[in-house]
Structure formats: C-alpha cells, structure tokens
Amino acid sequence: MKKFISSLGCMTFGALLSASAAGEGIVIDTDTTGNWFNPDQPGYGLQIEVLDRNRAVIAWFTFDSDGNPVWLFGSGRTEGAIVSMELQRFKTPGFPPFDREDLQRELWGTIEFELLGCNEANLRWAPEAPDFMPGESPLRRLTKIDGHRCGEQASFDRTFAFLLDRGPLEFEAQIFPSSDLEFLEFGHEPLPPPLSARSGLKISGPGPSSMRLIAPLAGLEPETTYRLEMEVQFATDLPSGCVGLGGSPDGAMGLGAADQRPDPDNQIENRVIVGDLTNGLSDAYCPNPSRPWILKRLSTRGQALEATTNADGVLWVYAVFLASAESRRTWYLTELIVRLADDPQGGQETSG
C-alpha cells in the first residue's frame, strides 16, 4: 500500500495535515463506530466503538425470551473485518442509586461481529446463559461519527484537512459584488453559544451578496489534474423554512477549486453545490434572536469535481455561499477537508 507524505508550507497555526493512501479490503476501524440494527426487526441493536485498530467494545441492547430488556457488554480484538468477544450481563436491584456490592455480573456468551461493507454487517452469537438460542442476524448501520467515512470507499491518494479551531491559516474572504466589501465582517473568533468552546472563521455579509472563503493548497504535482472530494463543516443558526426578503434565506453552499487565486470580482468558478445554511431546526426558531448555533457538515461526495494545479503545484480551494435573500447572513467555517486522486476518470464510489 502506497503512502504519500506531503508538506504545506503555507499551512500554519496548528493545522492538522494528514496524507494517506486508500486501504485494500474491508477492515474494522474507527469508521465502523456507530449504532447498528436489523431493519426487519427494529427495537433492538448494538453499539460498537472502535478504540484503535486492535480493540473494540460492543453494547448489545436486546431482549430475553419473556421480552424483558437485556443489556450485554464486552470488548475484544479486531482481526480484519471481524471482532469476537465474550459478553457480560449485568443486573442490579433496581434504578440507581444502588450499592456497588449489589451489582451482579455473569457471562452471557460470545458474539462475532463481521463487517461486510460501509453500512452492512452480520452478527453471530453463541449463548451460554439458559433460555437463549444461538443464531445470527444481518445488521445495517443506523448512525456514524460526524466526519467519518468508510475506508473501503476512500479511493483517494491524499487527504488534507484545514482545521480552523486554532487560527485563520491562509484563508481570505471575498464578497460579490466587491462594492459591498465595506459591509463584510471576517475574522477568527470563538463560535457563538453553545459552541463557544470552539473557534472558527466568521464571515458575515449583507444580502443578496455572496461570500467566498479561499485558501491555497500547496505541495501537489505541478500542472496535474486531480479528482477531488471536498467536505466542509460550519456553524449556522439558520432554522429550516424561514422566509426572508427577496427570496429564500437559506441560499446555497458550494465547494470548489481552481489553479489560480479566484478573482474577487468574478463569481464564475469551478464548483458544485452541496447544500444550504439551514441547520434542521423548525421554523418556530426563526423569530428567536437567541436561537442556537449548530454545526453542519456537507460534502461533494457523489458529484464530479476535478481541478488542475498550476505550475507551482498549488490549488486554490474555496467554500462559497450564494445568497438569495436581502437579509444579512453569518456563518463560521470550522473545517475544510480536501481529498485528491490523480486518476480523474477513475474511482467511482458507491453511495451509502
């Protein structure tokens, strides 16, 4: 398996840079972490947490033969796509609080979790406790960790992460039309509550102006066309369904790249639309000036995006908000992830 190690002289202020090659085969790693269940038998399932590439813990929430809830816990070592372990069953005299001495633990049996794909797995069990029968069940992923994706589908040679928690890096802000520049607010600062423990790049501008955050990505092969997948995380307080002056206030969020620094007076760019600013809260929050800020993640996954580096091996990457309403819009950029492969026509990925 190839490894790519790159350096970005322009990335400072504590940016995290990782470079790796896509792995071969299916293996259990951190992407497997999440909740899994059988869609044909909803109401029970298991939670797996991968601590590293060699250990995992599982909590299985199921029932006994009388329909009473049973919680089983265990840990084991992973071997490729399989993790096997003994599960313990715990009993207490009732709802907490209770004395530690009253906690009862007994061996329930063993299970084997086999990862079949990004969102598919199989569970086999062999009970030692009475009144339980051995068996197996297909599983499907119910939840995953924010920002994680399946390694088997990561058909990219390099991954670069701009993490904006510690500083602005080399990012700059642009606004269209440029005559609105005096109304643009831009800077690195703590996020609003309840996210104030984190920081990001604030960008705020009047509608219907559009805003773009750009940064150079160096250390690539000169004049080379790359296939890209880009991912953005940002903070927004815009609920769904709010109606603003001059059109929908959610606008559109786009991600893209170019071989030269984008012209501040030109909105034409190589980009794809990935979503909008809405954060999923109901429109009941629209008139509330103290409505909560929520982190949202969007990706170009499944959409074709290519870009060619310049003679110095640099790509300019950007996130752009295309406004459609006259009201002012504010958002905070917290992460921009760029994945690249030098096979522009290859690497088609499956969804899921």
Side-chain angles (χ1 to χ4, degrees), residues 23 96 102 119 160 312 332 341:
D102 294 331
N119 298 311
F160 298 92
D312 296 321
Y332 293 76

Side-chain angles (χ1 to χ4, degrees), residues 74-207:
S75 63
R77 299 185 67 85
T78 65
E79 296 184 8
I82 294 177
V83 58
S84 303
M85 63 186 66
E86 292 184 341
L87 293 184
Q88 306 285 331
R89 182 179 183 182
F90 293 85
K91 296 181 180 180
T92 69
F95 190 77
F98 51 82
D99 294 332
R100 180 184 180 91
E101 303 80 56
D102 294 331
L103 180 66
Q104 302 177 26
R105 181 177 66 179
E106 61 183 20
L107 175 64
W108 179 87
T110 60
I111 64 167
E112 183 178 86
F113 176 94
E114 181 180 8
L115 186 66
L116 303 177
C118 175
N119 298 311
E120 306 293 336
N122 194 58
L123 181 68
R124 293 176 284 271
W125 58 88
E128 294 190 13
D131 300 327
F132 292 89
M133 298 294 294
E136 63 179 302
S137 173
L139 296 177
R140 184 161 182 83
R141 182 192 296 275
L142 181 63
T143 64
K144 65 178 181 179
I145 295 178
D146 177 45
H148 280 228
R149 65 198 305 279
C150 292
E152 69 182 276
Q153 296 182 350
S155 57
F156 295 89
D157 303 317
R158 307 183 187 185
T159 298
F160 298 92
F162 293 87
L163 305 182
L164 284 305
D165 195 55
R166 298 183 181 179
L169 306 183
E170 297 292 324
F171 277 88
E172 62 178 281
Q174 297 177 342
I175 191 169
F176 320 104
S178 58
S179 58
D180 284 340
L181 184 60
E182 62 178 304
F183 305 108
L184 179 69
E185 295 180 19
F186 171 68
H188 185 266
E189 58 184 68
L191 304 183
L195 305 173
S196 52
R198 301 185 58 175
S199 299
L201 283 181
K202 175 184 178 180
I203 183 167
S204 179

Side-chain angles (χ1 to χ4, degrees), residues 5 57 75 98 194 224 248-249 307 330:
I5 305 298
V57 295
S75 63
F98 51 82
T224 300
S248 172
T330 302

Side-chain angles (χ1 to χ4, degrees), residues 21-43:
E24 298 180 0
I26 299 175
V27 296
I28 292 175
D29 61 14
T30 54
D31 288 331
T32 310
T33 296
N35 290 279
W36 298 74
F37 79 122
N38 184 340
D40 294 330
Q41 299 175 352

